[in-house]
Amino acid sequence: MNIEEIIDNLKYMISGQCTDTQYDFQDEINFAIKNLKKEVPIKPIRTSDPYNGDEIMICCECSSIIKDGEWSAKYCPNCGRRINWKRRK
Ligand SMILES: [Zn+2]
């Protein structure tokens, strides 16, 4: 099932024409939940590069580098989680 099919199936599920139950759409619902969770922003973790000691930021979910020098990611390139770059007040 590709993403377009999943979206079509979910639209069908909530339409008036649907004669199936939510249990017939478990794969689609689980896919949607998994991908919605990635949109919940996580705080980056400040650490230092083990090779050169430079300050870097890593993902708290998977420890991938999400900021190195001027480069920073809106989403973790490894696990796909959204990064919250707002500073704490
Ligand atoms: Zn990650």
Side-chain angles (χ1 to χ4, degrees):
M1 217 173 353
N2 65 37
I3 292 174
E4 280 79 22
E5 289 170 322
I6 290 169
I7 292 168
D8 287 346
N9 289 350
L10 288 171
K11 284 180 177 175
Y12 171 71
M13 185 184 88
I14 61 169
S15 74
Q17 290 89 45
C18 182
T19 54
D20 304 312
T21 71
Q22 71 269 32
Y23 301 106
D24 297 309
F25 297 95
Q26 287 190 28
D27 289 346
E28 291 89 339
I29 293 168
N30 284 328
F31 178 87
I33 290 169
K34 185 178 137 209
N35 283 281
L36 282 171
K37 274 185 181 171
K38 291 180 181 177
E39 292 298 326
V40 179
I42 54 161
K43 286 283 184 189
I45 297 173
R46 187 182 309 271
T47 186
S48 59
D49 189 320
Y51 299 105
N52 58 22
D54 289 350
E55 182 183 282
I56 57 172
M57 303 288 255
I58 60 170
C59 174
C60 70
E61 287 285 299
C62 71
S63 299
S64 289
I65 296 172
I66 52 175
K67 181 174 183 1
D68 188 359
E70 293 299 306
W71 175 81
S72 65
K74 190 174 180 185
Y75 289 86
C76 174
N78 184 51
C79 71
R81 284 294 296 263
R82 179 190 282 268
I83 313 297
N84 180 357
W85 290 110
K86 289 179 192 153
R87 289 177 184 265
R88 284 184 205 131
K89 287 169 188 161

